[in-house]
Amino acid sequence: MKVALKKDITGYAFISPFVVGFLVFTFVPILASLYLSFTDYDLFTTPSWVGIDNYHDLFTSDKKFWKSLKVTFLYVFIGVPLRLFFALMVAMLLNTASRAVGVYRTLFYLPSIIGGSVAVSIMWRNLYGDKGIINVMLEAVGLDAVRWFADPMAALWMLITLSAWQFGSSMLIFLAGLKNIPASLYEAASVDGANGINRFFKITVPMLTPIILFNAIMQTIGAFMTFVPAYIISKGTGGPLDGTLLYSLYLFRQGFQFFDMGTASAMAWIMLIIVSVLTAVLFLSSKYWVHYESKEG
């Protein structure tokens, strides 16, 4: 009995840093944000209870709230598929036995490591400047230069292309999935006369659907939390004309620029609900398009 108790105490001692860290830095702040979402709190005075007023004001009188939702949904529903597409295409190119493939994988993964940093966001802003390399390339092929910081949609495309550029993590996961597809399937398809396109859509894509589901969920969650690129590129304003006002940026402005932490907390819970609903939709729809080898069909 004493030995078992000693082992239990030892186990609890080892997991205590995580338990304490989770309670102090995750669970308690979550509960605090839920409470603050029903209060009027400016970070300096005592929170005062206002009920659902913060939620009511967001949905009925805050036009920027709806604008940030629109911008974020465009960013997510365009940027995530683009990122997954590029990740899959590059993974297929790297799925070879070349000696240098390890170097190529590292080079393609680097953007995902540094892609969300302040330095890269500043670099991206310079690339799309009026005299930046992007406009120079457009003019070189006879196209008109684009005023990326004057057109709301063009500014949003800056963020989308930066998002698509950070495909390294998804690429590695796709690459692992490609390695697990039996070569015998491709050999049998070749014997039956299937060309490369048929093999891709009839073998590669169905066998990768569980990986596609995982990547889609993870990248969607990550896209909703994108903050640094929008903040740096727009200099914290979400401009031009709120074209880069992502939801997380507007949440930050409510809490730390307008000192309305009650509204910011309400926005955080609304985003949690939106992401949860989208994740549930992806999971529920997966039974119609995700193929698992352990299941029939």
Side-chain angles (χ1 to χ4, degrees), residues 75-90 111-112 115-116 159-171 174 215 218-224 226 229:
Y75 175 79
V76 172
F77 291 135
I78 297 175
V80 170
L82 274 178
R83 184 188 292 198
L84 295 182
F85 172 78
F86 285 120
L88 179 55
M89 293 301 103
V90 174
S112 289
L159 295 180
I160 291 173
T161 53
L162 177 55
S163 171
W165 182 63
Q166 302 169 49
F167 58 77
S169 58
S170 298
M171 176 203 69
F174 276 132
N215 272 335
M218 298 305 295
Q219 296 302 324
T220 298
I221 295 172
F224 269 100
T226 300

Side-chain angles (χ1 to χ4, degrees), residues 62-128:
D62 193 337
K63 294 182 180 179
K64 284 185 179 292
F65 168 76
W66 291 106
K67 178 66 175 181
S68 68
L69 275 178
K70 178 183 177 181
V71 171
T72 303
F73 275 114
L74 285 173
Y75 175 79
V76 172
F77 291 135
I78 297 175
V80 170
L82 274 178
R83 184 188 292 198
L84 295 182
F85 172 78
F86 285 120
L88 179 55
M89 293 301 103
V90 174
M92 293 185 66
L93 290 174
L94 296 180
N95 189 30
T96 64
S98 171
R99 288 185 176 181
V101 70
V103 176
Y104 294 142
R105 291 174 188 171
T106 302
L107 292 176
F108 280 114
Y109 185 66
L110 280 177
S112 289
I113 299 176
I114 63 174
S117 67
V118 173
V120 170
S121 299
I122 294 174
M123 179 195 73
W124 214 256
R125 181 180 174 86
N126 292 332
L127 288 176
Y128 283 87

Side-chain angles (χ1 to χ4, degrees), residues 120-191:
V120 170
S121 299
I122 294 174
M123 179 195 73
W124 214 256
R125 181 180 174 86
N126 292 332
L127 288 176
Y128 283 87
D130 291 342
K131 299 297 182 180
I133 188 64
I134 302 299
N135 276 339
V136 171
M137 293 172 62
L138 290 174
E139 292 174 342
V141 296
L143 299 176
D144 293 332
V146 178
R147 298 192 63 193
W148 299 96
F149 298 99
D151 184 343
M153 197 62 201
L156 180 59
W157 271 103
M158 274 194 293
L159 295 180
I160 291 173
T161 53
L162 177 55
S163 171
W165 182 63
Q166 302 169 49
F167 58 77
S169 58
S170 298
M171 176 203 69
L172 289 181
I173 297 172
F174 276 132
L175 191 57
L178 289 171
K179 294 293 185 183
N180 288 325
I181 299 177
S184 59
L185 295 179
Y186 293 107
E187 293 170 0
S190 298
V191 172

